[in-house]
Amino acid sequence: TILLPSEKGGLEVWHDGKWISAPCIPGAFIVNAGDLIQRWTNDRWKSVLHRVMRVGEGGSEDRLSVVLFTGPKKNTVVDPRQLLEAGGAEARYPATTAGEHLQEKLRKISN
């Protein structure tokens, strides 16, 4: 997710067991990496639980969000070893494909 934050706020992230407001830094974007990116980068980039709360008195202010979900082709190999420096840390995740990763996520939420 790439988000140009609003000065009105509303975006919250889960941190240390509680919801906190994401800061609005003028001219900056907020980038939320999903679970696949976290796996692919061997936890270097974290997938963060987040939510958007209504703002204004009684949540009365309207806000427009346009969402587009995309990802690699299903047969793309996702292997954190591809990004690790030689002699660096060990991979925390085994290699998989983008399609297998998605199917595993869907199995978990359907049970």
Side-chain angles (χ1 to χ4, degrees):
T1 304
I2 301 173
L3 175 70
L4 180 60
S6 167
E7 291 179 5
K8 295 178 182 180
L11 179 64
E12 297 181 344
V13 295
W14 187 252
H15 182 71
D16 289 336
K18 63 184 176 193
W19 290 105
I20 62 169
S21 294
C24 179
I25 301 170
F29 288 92
I30 294 174
V31 178
N32 178 44
D35 295 345
L36 184 64
I37 295 295
Q38 180 171 327
R39 181 181 183 137
W40 214 338
T41 64
N42 208 43
D43 294 336
R44 183 173 185 178
W45 293 357
K46 300 288 185 181
S47 173
V48 178
L49 183 61
H50 61 284
R51 67 182 184 184
V52 177
M53 301 298 292
R54 296 202 56 159
V55 295
E57 190 173 321
S60 61
E61 289 194 32
D62 290 334
R63 182 175 184 157
L64 175 65
S65 295
V66 178
V67 180
L68 170 68
F69 293 100
T70 187
K73 292 181 180 180
K74 66 180 182 181
N75 61 345
T76 300
V77 175
V78 176
D79 186 351
R81 293 174 298 176
Q82 297 168 322
L83 301 176
L84 294 173
E85 295 180 25
E90 286 190 30
R92 294 183 176 116
Y93 306 96
T96 188
T97 65
E100 290 167 348
H101 176 79
L102 177 59
Q103 290 301 314
E104 180 61 28
K105 299 291 286 184
L106 293 173
R107 275 192 294 276
K108 285 181 181 178
I109 65 171
S110 65
N111 290 332

